Amino acid sequence: MSSEEDKITRISIEPEKQSLLDHHTEKHFTAGEIVRDIILGVSDGLTVPFALAAGLSGANASSSIVLTAGIAEVAAGAISMGLGGYLAAKSEADHYAREMKREQEEIVAVPETEAAEVAEILAQYGIEPHEYSPVVNALRKNPQAWLDFMMRFELGLEKPDPRRAFQSAFTIAIAYVLGGFVPLFPYMFIPQALDAVLASVVITLIALFIFGYGKGHFTGSRPIRSAFETAFIGAIASAAAFCLAKVVQH
Amino acid sequence: MSSEEDKITRISIEPEKQSLLDHHTEKHFTAGEIVRDIILGVSDGLTVPFALAAGLSGANASSSIVLTAGIAEVAAGAISMGLGGYLAAKSEADHYAREMKREQEEIVAVPETEAAEVAEILAQYGIEPHEYSPVVNALRKNPQAWLDFMMRFELGLEKPDPRRAFQSAFTIAIAYVLGGFVPLFPYMFIPQALDAVLASVVITLIALFIFGYGKGHFTGSRPIRSAFETAFIGAIASAAAFCLAKVVQH
């Protein structure tokens, strides 16, 4: 809910009820985004370092080399996903600001066209001109509300929270590091990579199942199926890495 | 534009004009998503394999090991991002279907509540009951349109295209592979990793600048700034990988 909407007098909903709804929606929205970022980071973090380590182990590298490659990859991946996600979010915020400015200019310069666009949006739902005209006219009299309406219903853009870019980047990066740590853990204690890889496979498959189950639970899809799908991706990725590493090594 | 909307008789817009608008919107929407997927894949593909290779080179690995690790990582990354993206898109499609079913049930079981929700959505824009009542009543008489309205304006969900999940996964995976190939290329011809890494740094920085510029151009943000930001992420990621690899190797 944008702050512009907060300023608009709500006539039909009691203020206390509305503010409860707003608060509930905002909390729900942010919690959902944090969960999504954790899922994003852990998904790749559990899978790629695991596959890389397994591939190198199969190519007869030492645990030392596997750990070197693994930790380097986790750092690089966390930075790439984290910083990349941050810049992407900032870019979206800039995009929103630009679109809003343009929409604002159109409302001032060509109000008839903008009013026709509102009409078109509502007409798609089988609403007839005599039914939607009062709505169009109400919006025309309230430029701020009209702008919010166009941003939301014509362009489908939500006003981005400036703090979310940083939060999101940080969450994804940390999640990636924690995910990546799991498969690399055995290599820190078992000097023979071909021994360590067995422990790594067991630990990581269990982690993938648990994580996949949790992912399914949190996103409301079938947790058992999600657990198997997640473990499957890890298995495929490590099989591919294993085979390619052997091929490259001849 | 969903197929449900296509079926609704449009009273105020001529059919030919509407179908031109639909076609234009759909093409624009898909092209934007393909560009977004390419950006996603190439961003990480150019950065992580580059940083991994640079890190291992600095830790005195041979080009052979660097290539083994690099190619294994590219395969694992492409699979993780590609398959992961595919499953995420399927999960969103399932989510949409479930939400639509629930909304449909609510429209049948508690139409007064649903009508009040429509009222609440429009009231946020300063529209008064006597202005929005005809719209609410029009929707109540047209359950399919009402459902579409709730999906779009209450839940903010777009109907996902089932083909997009596969397209998206494929695009991201291929983009990652092509991105990853760039920094690894020198290691295929230069046996000394510490010589190959110089070529890799030069080639990859140039690629990051070009890609960052293109990214800025396509997303409508500042291309020069985007070029520097993208190269900067690559530099930071490889510096971190380089330092950590040295630390792990003692």
Side-chain angles (χ1 to χ4, degrees):
Chain A
M1 303 277 172
S2 69
S3 58
E4 291 92 351
E5 287 169 358
D6 285 335
K7 290 182 234 147
I8 295 166
T9 312
R10 289 191 187 85
I11 293 152
S12 63
I13 310 287
E14 301 93 318
E16 312 80 24
K17 198 155 89 171
Q18 188 60 52
S19 95
L20 276 172
L21 283 166
D22 286 339
H23 184 68
H24 172 78
T25 306
E26 278 173 27
K27 260 183 39 175
H28 187 254
F29 192 53
T30 306
E33 292 212 312
I34 290 176
V35 168
R36 186 204 70 180
D37 288 338
I38 292 173
I39 288 175
L40 218 61
V42 174
S43 286
D44 280 347
L46 263 182
T47 305
V48 182
F50 167 55
L52 173 62
L56 281 175
S57 302
N60 283 318
S62 64
S63 281
S64 171
I65 287 282
V66 171
L67 218 47
T68 306
I71 289 176
E73 198 282 336
V74 169
I79 289 171
S80 179
M81 289 187 78
L83 269 181
Y86 175 80
L87 289 180
K90 296 288 271 178
S91 166
E92 266 180 51
D94 289 345
H95 176 69
Y96 183 93
R98 275 195 313 271
E99 290 296 310
M100 186 158 97
K101 185 161 177 292
R102 184 165 73 172
E103 209 55 38
Q104 207 159 14
E105 286 161 4
E106 285 177 359
I107 279 173
V108 168
V110 286
E112 290 304 326
T113 309
E114 290 300 300
E117 283 173 1
V118 177
E120 186 190 353
I121 290 166
L122 294 172
Q124 287 170 2
Y125 299 92
I127 302 164
E128 303 196 19
H130 68 89
E131 290 165 330
Y132 62 60
S133 298
V135 170
V136 177
N137 292 334
L139 286 174
R140 292 189 70 159
K141 283 184 282 185
N142 190 340
Q144 186 58 56
W146 194 4
L147 178 62
D148 290 339
F149 186 93
M150 299 311 283
M151 292 305 288
R152 175 103 185 265
F153 298 148
E154 188 202 6
L155 302 177
L157 297 176
E158 294 279 346
K159 185 172 163 72
D161 181 348
R163 296 163 309 172
R164 279 294 306 150
F166 180 76
Q167 268 180 11
S168 185
F170 196 71
T171 308
I172 294 176
I174 295 291
Y176 193 88
V177 169
L178 292 177
F181 180 75
V182 169
L184 296 180
F185 188 68
Y187 296 91
M188 299 178 187
F189 303 104
I190 305 171
Q192 293 296 333
L194 281 170
D195 299 330
V197 75
L198 297 170
S200 180
V201 166
V202 171
I203 292 177
T204 310
L205 274 180
I206 292 173
L208 284 167
F209 267 106
I210 295 174
F211 168 69
Y213 187 90
K215 191 169 60 167
H217 174 77
F218 274 106
T219 58
S221 26
R222 294 137 69 178
I224 308 263
R225 173 162 142 169
S226 176
F228 275 95
E229 283 173 346
T230 307
F232 177 73
I233 296 181
I236 294 279
S238 54
F242 193 86
C243 294
L244 278 166
K246 285 225 178 267
V247 164
V248 173
Q249 287 280 311
H250 295 282
Chain B
M1 303 278 171
S2 68
S3 58
E4 291 90 351
E5 287 169 358
D6 286 335
K7 288 184 236 148
I8 295 166
T9 312
R10 288 191 187 84
I11 294 152
S12 62
I13 311 288
E14 301 93 320
E16 311 82 22
K17 197 153 91 170
Q18 189 60 52
S19 97
L20 276 172
L21 282 166
D22 287 341
H23 182 68
H24 172 78
T25 306
E26 279 174 24
K27 261 183 38 177
H28 188 254
F29 192 53
T30 306
E33 293 210 313
I34 290 176
V35 167
R36 186 204 70 180
D37 288 339
I38 292 174
I39 288 175
L40 219 62
V42 174
S43 286
D44 281 347
L46 264 182
T47 303
V48 182
F50 166 55
L52 172 62
L56 281 175
S57 303
N60 282 317
S62 63
S63 281
S64 171
I65 287 281
V66 172
L67 218 45
T68 305
I71 288 176
E73 199 280 339
V74 169
I79 288 171
S80 180
M81 288 186 79
L83 270 180
Y86 176 79
L87 290 179
K90 296 288 272 179
S91 166
E92 267 180 50
D94 290 344
H95 177 69
Y96 183 92
R98 274 195 313 271
E99 290 295 310
M100 187 159 95
K101 187 162 178 284
R102 182 164 75 170
E103 208 57 38
Q104 208 160 13
E105 287 163 3
E106 286 177 358
I107 280 174
V108 169
V110 286
E112 290 303 327
T113 309
E114 290 300 299
E117 283 173 3
V118 177
E120 185 189 354
I121 290 166
L122 294 172
Q124 287 169 4
Y125 299 94
I127 302 165
E128 303 195 16
H130 69 89
E131 291 165 330
Y132 62 62
S133 298
V135 170
V136 177
N137 292 334
L139 286 174
R140 292 189 70 160
K141 284 184 282 185
N142 190 341
Q144 186 59 56
W146 194 4
L147 179 62
D148 290 338
F149 187 93
M150 299 312 281
M151 291 306 289
R152 175 102 185 266
F153 297 148
E154 189 204 5
L155 302 177
L157 298 176
E158 294 281 346
K159 186 173 161 72
D161 180 348
R163 296 164 308 173
R164 281 293 308 147
F166 179 76
Q167 269 180 12
S168 185
F170 195 71
T171 307
I172 294 175
I174 295 290
Y176 192 90
V177 169
L178 292 177
F181 180 75
V182 170
L184 296 180
F185 188 70
Y187 296 92
M188 299 178 186
F189 302 103
I190 305 170
Q192 293 296 334
L194 280 171
D195 298 328
V197 74
L198 296 171
S200 180
V201 165
V202 170
I203 291 177
T204 309
L205 274 180
I206 292 172
L208 284 167
F209 267 105
I210 295 173
F211 168 69
Y213 187 90
K215 190 169 61 165
H217 174 76
F218 273 105
T219 59
S221 26
R222 293 137 69 178
I224 308 261
R225 173 161 141 169
S226 176
F228 275 95
E229 282 174 347
T230 308
F232 177 73
I233 296 180
I236 294 279
S238 53
F242 192 86
C243 294
L244 279 166
K246 285 227 179 266
V247 163
V248 173
Q249 285 280 312
H250 295 280

mmCIF file of all heavy atoms in Angstrom, chain B residues 101-140:
data_model
loop_
_atom_site.group_PDB
_atom_site.id
_atom_site.type_symbol
_atom_site.label_atom_id
_atom_site.label_comp_id
_atom_site.label_asym_id
_atom_site.label_seq_id
_atom_site.Cartn_x
_atom_site.Cartn_y
_atom_site.Cartn_z
ATOM 1 N N LYS B 101 -9.013 -20.819 -8.096
ATOM 2 C CA LYS B 101 -10.055 -21.738 -7.636
ATOM 3 C C LYS B 101 -10.681 -21.220 -6.345
ATOM 4 O O LYS B 101 -11.902 -21.207 -6.182
ATOM 5 C CB LYS B 101 -9.429 -23.125 -7.413
ATOM 6 C CG LYS B 101 -10.396 -24.239 -7.092
ATOM 7 C CD LYS B 101 -9.750 -25.607 -7.337
ATOM 8 C CE LYS B 101 -10.697 -26.732 -6.958
ATOM 9 N NZ LYS B 101 -10.786 -26.917 -5.493
ATOM 10 N N ARG B 102 -9.815 -20.736 -5.441
ATOM 11 C CA ARG B 102 -10.325 -20.252 -4.170
ATOM 12 C C ARG B 102 -11.180 -19.004 -4.364
ATOM 13 O O ARG B 102 -12.243 -18.853 -3.765
ATOM 14 C CB ARG B 102 -9.158 -19.940 -3.227
ATOM 15 C CG ARG B 102 -9.618 -19.478 -1.864
ATOM 16 C CD ARG B 102 -8.515 -19.550 -0.866
ATOM 17 N NE ARG B 102 -7.550 -18.472 -1.043
ATOM 18 C CZ ARG B 102 -6.592 -18.203 -0.164
ATOM 19 N NH1 ARG B 102 -6.481 -18.938 0.928
ATOM 20 N NH2 ARG B 102 -5.734 -17.234 -0.385
ATOM 21 N N GLU B 103 -10.723 -18.122 -5.232
ATOM 22 C CA GLU B 103 -11.470 -16.897 -5.512
ATOM 23 C C GLU B 103 -12.830 -17.244 -6.120
ATOM 24 O O GLU B 103 -13.853 -16.643 -5.772
ATOM 25 C CB GLU B 103 -10.636 -16.042 -6.470
ATOM 26 C CG GLU B 103 -10.834 -14.556 -6.388
ATOM 27 C CD GLU B 103 -10.602 -13.947 -5.034
ATOM 28 O OE1 GLU B 103 -9.679 -14.370 -4.311
ATOM 29 O OE2 GLU B 103 -11.365 -13.032 -4.678
ATOM 30 N N GLN B 104 -12.825 -18.223 -7.020
ATOM 31 C CA GLN B 104 -14.063 -18.665 -7.655
ATOM 32 C C GLN B 104 -15.052 -19.179 -6.620
ATOM 33 O O GLN B 104 -16.247 -18.883 -6.673
ATOM 34 C CB GLN B 104 -13.721 -19.775 -8.651
ATOM 35 C CG GLN B 104 -14.659 -19.904 -9.813
ATOM 36 C CD GLN B 104 -14.016 -20.659 -10.967
ATOM 37 O OE1 GLN B 104 -12.964 -21.286 -10.808
ATOM 38 N NE2 GLN B 104 -14.617 -20.610 -12.126
ATOM 39 N N GLU B 105 -14.534 -19.945 -5.668
ATOM 40 C CA GLU B 105 -15.402 -20.473 -4.617
ATOM 41 C C GLU B 105 -15.967 -19.352 -3.758
ATOM 42 O O GLU B 105 -17.139 -19.370 -3.382
ATOM 43 C CB GLU B 105 -14.632 -21.489 -3.753
ATOM 44 C CG GLU B 105 -14.387 -22.811 -4.456
ATOM 45 C CD GLU B 105 -13.295 -23.645 -3.800
ATOM 46 O OE1 GLU B 105 -12.756 -23.217 -2.756
ATOM 47 O OE2 GLU B 105 -12.980 -24.724 -4.341
ATOM 48 N N GLU B 106 -15.113 -18.357 -3.463
ATOM 49 C CA GLU B 106 -15.582 -17.239 -2.640
ATOM 50 C C GLU B 106 -16.664 -16.445 -3.349
ATOM 51 O O GLU B 106 -17.634 -15.993 -2.731
ATOM 52 C CB GLU B 106 -14.403 -16.338 -2.274
ATOM 53 C CG GLU B 106 -13.497 -16.939 -1.212
ATOM 54 C CD GLU B 106 -12.287 -16.075 -0.910
ATOM 55 O OE1 GLU B 106 -12.129 -15.016 -1.549
ATOM 56 O OE2 GLU B 106 -11.510 -16.462 -0.023
ATOM 57 N N ILE B 107 -16.519 -16.271 -4.647
ATOM 58 C CA ILE B 107 -17.518 -15.526 -5.411
ATOM 59 C C ILE B 107 -18.876 -16.217 -5.331
ATOM 60 O O ILE B 107 -19.921 -15.565 -5.239
ATOM 61 C CB ILE B 107 -17.051 -15.367 -6.885
ATOM 62 C CG1 ILE B 107 -16.049 -14.226 -6.987
ATOM 63 C CG2 ILE B 107 -18.237 -15.113 -7.808
ATOM 64 C CD1 ILE B 107 -15.424 -14.072 -8.365
ATOM 65 N N VAL B 108 -18.849 -17.546 -5.342
ATOM 66 C CA VAL B 108 -20.100 -18.300 -5.262
ATOM 67 C C VAL B 108 -20.635 -18.338 -3.829
ATOM 68 O O VAL B 108 -21.816 -18.122 -3.581
ATOM 69 C CB VAL B 108 -19.882 -19.749 -5.783
ATOM 70 C CG1 VAL B 108 -21.082 -20.630 -5.456
ATOM 71 C CG2 VAL B 108 -19.606 -19.737 -7.275
ATOM 72 N N ALA B 109 -19.728 -18.567 -2.867
ATOM 73 C CA ALA B 109 -20.166 -18.798 -1.483
ATOM 74 C C ALA B 109 -20.466 -17.510 -0.718
ATOM 75 O O ALA B 109 -21.439 -17.447 0.046
ATOM 76 C CB ALA B 109 -19.099 -19.609 -0.748
ATOM 77 N N VAL B 110 -19.610 -16.512 -0.875
ATOM 78 C CA VAL B 110 -19.791 -15.282 -0.089
ATOM 79 C C VAL B 110 -19.723 -14.044 -0.989
ATOM 80 O O VAL B 110 -18.829 -13.194 -0.843
ATOM 81 C CB VAL B 110 -18.742 -15.180 1.049
ATOM 82 C CG1 VAL B 110 -19.082 -16.137 2.163
ATOM 83 C CG2 VAL B 110 -17.324 -15.428 0.550
ATOM 84 N N PRO B 111 -20.676 -13.922 -1.926
ATOM 85 C CA PRO B 111 -20.614 -12.811 -2.882
ATOM 86 C C PRO B 111 -20.633 -11.443 -2.220
ATOM 87 O O PRO B 111 -20.016 -10.503 -2.737
ATOM 88 C CB PRO B 111 -21.854 -13.028 -3.756
ATOM 89 C CG PRO B 111 -22.745 -13.955 -2.991
ATOM 90 C CD PRO B 111 -21.851 -14.791 -2.150
ATOM 91 N N GLU B 112 -21.308 -11.317 -1.076
ATOM 92 C CA GLU B 112 -21.342 -10.007 -0.414
ATOM 93 C C GLU B 112 -19.939 -9.576 0.011
ATOM 94 O O GLU B 112 -19.550 -8.417 -0.151
ATOM 95 C CB GLU B 112 -22.262 -10.054 0.824
ATOM 96 C CG GLU B 112 -23.748 -10.179 0.509
ATOM 97 C CD GLU B 112 -24.241 -9.046 -0.392
ATOM 98 O OE1 GLU B 112 -23.734 -7.917 -0.283
ATOM 99 O OE2 GLU B 112 -25.127 -9.311 -1.236
ATOM 100 N N THR B 113 -19.182 -10.532 0.567
ATOM 101 C CA THR B 113 -17.809 -10.224 0.978
ATOM 102 C C THR B 113 -16.952 -9.835 -0.214
ATOM 103 O O THR B 113 -16.183 -8.870 -0.170
ATOM 104 C CB THR B 113 -17.173 -11.443 1.677
ATOM 105 O OG1 THR B 113 -18.039 -11.904 2.705
ATOM 106 C CG2 THR B 113 -15.819 -11.087 2.260
ATOM 107 N N GLU B 114 -17.091 -10.582 -1.294
ATOM 108 C CA GLU B 114 -16.302 -10.288 -2.490
ATOM 109 C C GLU B 114 -16.675 -8.933 -3.070
ATOM 110 O O GLU B 114 -15.815 -8.172 -3.517
ATOM 111 C CB GLU B 114 -16.513 -11.380 -3.547
ATOM 112 C CG GLU B 114 -15.892 -12.706 -3.165
ATOM 113 C CD GLU B 114 -14.390 -12.599 -2.970
ATOM 114 O OE1 GLU B 114 -13.678 -12.241 -3.923
ATOM 115 O OE2 GLU B 114 -13.929 -12.849 -1.842
ATOM 116 N N ALA B 115 -17.979 -8.625 -3.052
ATOM 117 C CA ALA B 115 -18.419 -7.319 -3.543
ATOM 118 C C ALA B 115 -17.811 -6.209 -2.686
ATOM 119 O O ALA B 115 -17.393 -5.169 -3.192
ATOM 120 C CB ALA B 115 -19.942 -7.243 -3.538
ATOM 121 N N ALA B 116 -17.757 -6.461 -1.365
ATOM 122 C CA ALA B 116 -17.156 -5.475 -0.464
ATOM 123 C C ALA B 116 -15.672 -5.297 -0.761
ATOM 124 O O ALA B 116 -15.132 -4.194 -0.643
ATOM 125 C CB ALA B 116 -17.362 -5.898 0.988
ATOM 126 N N GLU B 117 -15.019 -6.380 -1.182
ATOM 127 C CA GLU B 117 -13.599 -6.264 -1.524
ATOM 128 C C GLU B 117 -13.398 -5.413 -2.761
ATOM 129 O O GLU B 117 -12.454 -4.615 -2.841
ATOM 130 C CB GLU B 117 -12.986 -7.667 -1.715
ATOM 131 C CG GLU B 117 -12.700 -8.369 -0.395
ATOM 132 C CD GLU B 117 -12.266 -9.815 -0.567
ATOM 133 O OE1 GLU B 117 -12.133 -10.273 -1.723
ATOM 134 O OE2 GLU B 117 -12.066 -10.494 0.463
ATOM 135 N N VAL B 118 -14.278 -5.574 -3.754
ATOM 136 C CA VAL B 118 -14.196 -4.709 -4.939
ATOM 137 C C VAL B 118 -14.381 -3.256 -4.517
ATOM 138 O O VAL B 118 -13.649 -2.370 -4.948
ATOM 139 C CB VAL B 118 -15.271 -5.083 -5.987
ATOM 140 C CG1 VAL B 118 -15.195 -4.122 -7.165
ATOM 141 C CG2 VAL B 118 -15.092 -6.506 -6.462
ATOM 142 N N ALA B 119 -15.374 -3.036 -3.647
ATOM 143 C CA ALA B 119 -15.636 -1.687 -3.153
ATOM 144 C C ALA B 119 -14.400 -1.112 -2.487
ATOM 145 O O ALA B 119 -14.022 0.039 -2.704
ATOM 146 C CB ALA B 119 -16.808 -1.709 -2.180
ATOM 147 N N GLU B 120 -13.748 -1.957 -1.681
ATOM 148 C CA GLU B 120 -12.573 -1.495 -0.950
ATOM 149 C C GLU B 120 -11.446 -1.102 -1.903
ATOM 150 O O GLU B 120 -10.776 -0.094 -1.710
ATOM 151 C CB GLU B 120 -12.091 -2.606 -0.011
ATOM 152 C CG GLU B 120 -10.941 -2.151 0.869
ATOM 153 C CD GLU B 120 -10.318 -3.288 1.636
ATOM 154 O OE1 GLU B 120 -10.829 -4.419 1.577
ATOM 155 O OE2 GLU B 120 -9.295 -3.048 2.303
ATOM 156 N N ILE B 121 -11.253 -1.927 -2.953
ATOM 157 C CA ILE B 121 -10.192 -1.627 -3.922
ATOM 158 C C ILE B 121 -10.433 -0.267 -4.555
ATOM 159 O O ILE B 121 -9.534 0.576 -4.618
ATOM 160 C CB ILE B 121 -10.141 -2.716 -5.020
ATOM 161 C CG1 ILE B 121 -9.625 -4.037 -4.436
ATOM 162 C CG2 ILE B 121 -9.263 -2.279 -6.185
ATOM 163 C CD1 ILE B 121 -9.850 -5.230 -5.347
ATOM 164 N N LEU B 122 -11.669 -0.030 -5.004
ATOM 165 C CA LEU B 122 -11.953 1.241 -5.683
ATOM 166 C C LEU B 122 -11.984 2.409 -4.709
ATOM 167 O O LEU B 122 -11.603 3.531 -5.051
ATOM 168 C CB LEU B 122 -13.281 1.127 -6.439
ATOM 169 C CG LEU B 122 -13.239 0.126 -7.606
ATOM 170 C CD1 LEU B 122 -14.628 -0.091 -8.190
ATOM 171 C CD2 LEU B 122 -12.283 0.606 -8.693
ATOM 172 N N ALA B 123 -12.415 2.152 -3.464
ATOM 173 C CA ALA B 123 -12.492 3.226 -2.476
ATOM 174 C C ALA B 123 -11.123 3.809 -2.164
ATOM 175 O O ALA B 123 -10.997 4.988 -1.834
ATOM 176 C CB ALA B 123 -13.162 2.714 -1.201
ATOM 177 N N GLN B 124 -10.080 2.988 -2.300
ATOM 178 C CA GLN B 124 -8.728 3.473 -2.042
ATOM 179 C C GLN B 124 -8.340 4.620 -2.956
ATOM 180 O O GLN B 124 -7.405 5.354 -2.683
ATOM 181 C CB GLN B 124 -7.697 2.354 -2.268
ATOM 182 C CG GLN B 124 -7.695 1.301 -1.207
ATOM 183 C CD GLN B 124 -6.857 0.113 -1.632
ATOM 184 O OE1 GLN B 124 -6.230 0.143 -2.693
ATOM 185 N NE2 GLN B 124 -6.858 -0.915 -0.839
ATOM 186 N N TYR B 125 -9.052 4.755 -4.073
ATOM 187 C CA TYR B 125 -8.719 5.814 -5.028
ATOM 188 C C TYR B 125 -9.681 6.989 -4.902
ATOM 189 O O TYR B 125 -9.868 7.753 -5.840
ATOM 190 C CB TYR B 125 -8.646 5.242 -6.443
ATOM 191 C CG TYR B 125 -7.590 4.187 -6.537
ATOM 192 C CD1 TYR B 125 -7.926 2.850 -6.362
ATOM 193 C CD2 TYR B 125 -6.252 4.522 -6.701
ATOM 194 C CE1 TYR B 125 -6.944 1.876 -6.369
ATOM 195 C CE2 TYR B 125 -5.270 3.558 -6.716
ATOM 196 C CZ TYR B 125 -5.625 2.233 -6.548
ATOM 197 O OH TYR B 125 -4.659 1.267 -6.550
ATOM 198 N N GLY B 126 -10.283 7.103 -3.725
ATOM 199 C CA GLY B 126 -11.145 8.259 -3.454
ATOM 200 C C GLY B 126 -12.470 8.197 -4.180
ATOM 201 O O GLY B 126 -13.165 9.206 -4.313
ATOM 202 N N ILE B 127 -12.811 6.994 -4.663
ATOM 203 C CA ILE B 127 -14.068 6.860 -5.388
ATOM 204 C C ILE B 127 -15.170 6.543 -4.378
ATOM 205 O O ILE B 127 -15.013 5.677 -3.525
ATOM 206 C CB ILE B 127 -13.952 5.749 -6.455
ATOM 207 C CG1 ILE B 127 -12.796 6.086 -7.399
ATOM 208 C CG2 ILE B 127 -15.253 5.615 -7.235
ATOM 209 C CD1 ILE B 127 -12.335 4.926 -8.260
ATOM 210 N N GLU B 128 -16.283 7.267 -4.476
ATOM 211 C CA GLU B 128 -17.336 7.141 -3.475
ATOM 212 C C GLU B 128 -18.318 6.028 -3.835
ATOM 213 O O GLU B 128 -18.430 5.640 -5.001
ATOM 214 C CB GLU B 128 -18.060 8.475 -3.325
ATOM 215 C CG GLU B 128 -17.086 9.598 -2.945
ATOM 216 C CD GLU B 128 -17.795 10.835 -2.437
ATOM 217 O OE1 GLU B 128 -18.989 10.738 -2.096
ATOM 218 O OE2 GLU B 128 -17.161 11.894 -2.386
ATOM 219 N N PRO B 129 -19.023 5.518 -2.806
ATOM 220 C CA PRO B 129 -19.946 4.396 -3.044
ATOM 221 C C PRO B 129 -20.915 4.622 -4.204
ATOM 222 O O PRO B 129 -21.085 3.749 -5.051
ATOM 223 C CB PRO B 129 -20.696 4.263 -1.709
ATOM 224 C CG PRO B 129 -19.697 4.748 -0.704
ATOM 225 C CD PRO B 129 -18.909 5.823 -1.367
ATOM 226 N N HIS B 130 -21.510 5.810 -4.283
ATOM 227 C CA HIS B 130 -22.480 6.022 -5.361
ATOM 228 C C HIS B 130 -21.803 6.036 -6.728
ATOM 229 O O HIS B 130 -22.445 5.830 -7.754
ATOM 230 C CB HIS B 130 -23.288 7.294 -5.113
ATOM 231 C CG HIS B 130 -22.478 8.560 -5.253
ATOM 232 N ND1 HIS B 130 -22.338 9.224 -6.452
ATOM 233 C CD2 HIS B 130 -21.756 9.269 -4.355
ATOM 234 C CE1 HIS B 130 -21.568 10.303 -6.272
ATOM 235 N NE2 HIS B 130 -21.196 10.354 -5.015
ATOM 236 N N GLU B 131 -20.465 6.255 -6.737
ATOM 237 C CA GLU B 131 -19.728 6.250 -8.010
ATOM 238 C C GLU B 131 -19.304 4.839 -8.410
ATOM 239 O O GLU B 131 -19.299 4.494 -9.591
ATOM 240 C CB GLU B 131 -18.492 7.167 -7.908
ATOM 241 C CG GLU B 131 -18.855 8.647 -7.811
ATOM 242 C CD GLU B 131 -17.691 9.524 -7.360
ATOM 243 O OE1 GLU B 131 -16.821 9.018 -6.601
ATOM 244 O OE2 GLU B 131 -17.652 10.706 -7.736
ATOM 245 N N TYR B 132 -18.913 4.007 -7.422
ATOM 246 C CA TYR B 132 -18.437 2.687 -7.798
ATOM 247 C C TYR B 132 -19.504 1.593 -7.772
ATOM 248 O O TYR B 132 -19.283 0.505 -8.300
ATOM 249 C CB TYR B 132 -17.198 2.274 -6.987
ATOM 250 C CG TYR B 132 -17.347 2.143 -5.477
ATOM 251 C CD1 TYR B 132 -18.210 1.211 -4.912
ATOM 252 C CD2 TYR B 132 -16.570 2.921 -4.621
ATOM 253 C CE1 TYR B 132 -18.314 1.071 -3.542
ATOM 254 C CE2 TYR B 132 -16.660 2.786 -3.249
ATOM 255 C CZ TYR B 132 -17.536 1.860 -2.705
ATOM 256 O OH TYR B 132 -17.623 1.714 -1.346
ATOM 257 N N SER B 133 -20.664 1.888 -7.170
ATOM 258 C CA SER B 133 -21.707 0.846 -7.102
ATOM 259 C C SER B 133 -22.102 0.264 -8.456
ATOM 260 O O SER B 133 -22.242 -0.959 -8.573
ATOM 261 C CB SER B 133 -22.971 1.378 -6.425
ATOM 262 O OG SER B 133 -22.697 1.758 -5.111
ATOM 263 N N PRO B 134 -22.280 1.084 -9.503
ATOM 264 C CA PRO B 134 -22.620 0.485 -10.801
ATOM 265 C C PRO B 134 -21.551 -0.490 -11.287
ATOM 266 O O PRO B 134 -21.876 -1.517 -11.907
ATOM 267 C CB PRO B 134 -22.714 1.701 -11.738
ATOM 268 C CG PRO B 134 -22.934 2.872 -10.857
ATOM 269 C CD PRO B 134 -22.243 2.563 -9.571
ATOM 270 N N VAL B 135 -20.284 -0.177 -11.001
ATOM 271 C CA VAL B 135 -19.206 -1.078 -11.409
ATOM 272 C C VAL B 135 -19.304 -2.397 -10.644
ATOM 273 O O VAL B 135 -19.215 -3.478 -11.227
ATOM 274 C CB VAL B 135 -17.828 -0.420 -11.161
ATOM 275 C CG1 VAL B 135 -16.715 -1.419 -11.345
ATOM 276 C CG2 VAL B 135 -17.639 0.768 -12.100
ATOM 277 N N VAL B 136 -19.504 -2.303 -9.330
ATOM 278 C CA VAL B 136 -19.615 -3.518 -8.506
ATOM 279 C C VAL B 136 -20.781 -4.375 -8.995
ATOM 280 O O VAL B 136 -20.654 -5.595 -9.156
ATOM 281 C CB VAL B 136 -19.803 -3.156 -7.011
ATOM 282 C CG1 VAL B 136 -19.986 -4.415 -6.181
ATOM 283 C CG2 VAL B 136 -18.601 -2.366 -6.505
ATOM 284 N N ASN B 137 -21.909 -3.733 -9.253
ATOM 285 C CA ASN B 137 -23.076 -4.493 -9.718
ATOM 286 C C ASN B 137 -22.843 -5.126 -11.074
ATOM 287 O O ASN B 137 -23.283 -6.251 -11.327
ATOM 288 C CB ASN B 137 -24.308 -3.586 -9.756
ATOM 289 C CG ASN B 137 -24.742 -3.184 -8.361
ATOM 290 O OD1 ASN B 137 -24.487 -3.901 -7.386
ATOM 291 N ND2 ASN B 137 -25.387 -2.038 -8.241
ATOM 292 N N ALA B 138 -22.149 -4.397 -11.973
ATOM 293 C CA ALA B 138 -21.848 -4.947 -13.299
ATOM 294 C C ALA B 138 -20.993 -6.199 -13.168
ATOM 295 O O ALA B 138 -21.223 -7.209 -13.842
ATOM 296 C CB ALA B 138 -21.133 -3.903 -14.145
ATOM 297 N N LEU B 139 -20.006 -6.151 -12.267
ATOM 298 C CA LEU B 139 -19.136 -7.316 -12.071
ATOM 299 C C LEU B 139 -19.933 -8.481 -11.499
ATOM 300 O O LEU B 139 -19.753 -9.632 -11.917
ATOM 301 C CB LEU B 139 -17.981 -6.958 -11.135
ATOM 302 C CG LEU B 139 -16.877 -6.078 -11.734
ATOM 303 C CD1 LEU B 139 -15.867 -5.684 -10.666
ATOM 304 C CD2 LEU B 139 -16.172 -6.791 -12.882
ATOM 305 N N ARG B 140 -20.834 -8.178 -10.553
ATOM 306 C CA ARG B 140 -21.614 -9.254 -9.917
ATOM 307 C C ARG B 140 -22.459 -10.009 -10.934
ATOM 308 O O ARG B 140 -22.738 -11.191 -10.761
ATOM 309 C CB ARG B 140 -22.505 -8.683 -8.817
ATOM 310 C CG ARG B 140 -21.723 -8.169 -7.619
ATOM 311 C CD ARG B 140 -22.628 -7.821 -6.479
ATOM 312 N NE ARG B 140 -23.207 -9.039 -5.897
ATOM 313 C CZ ARG B 140 -23.716 -9.097 -4.679
ATOM 314 N NH1 ARG B 140 -23.724 -8.014 -3.928
ATOM 315 N NH2 ARG B 140 -24.241 -10.215 -4.225
#
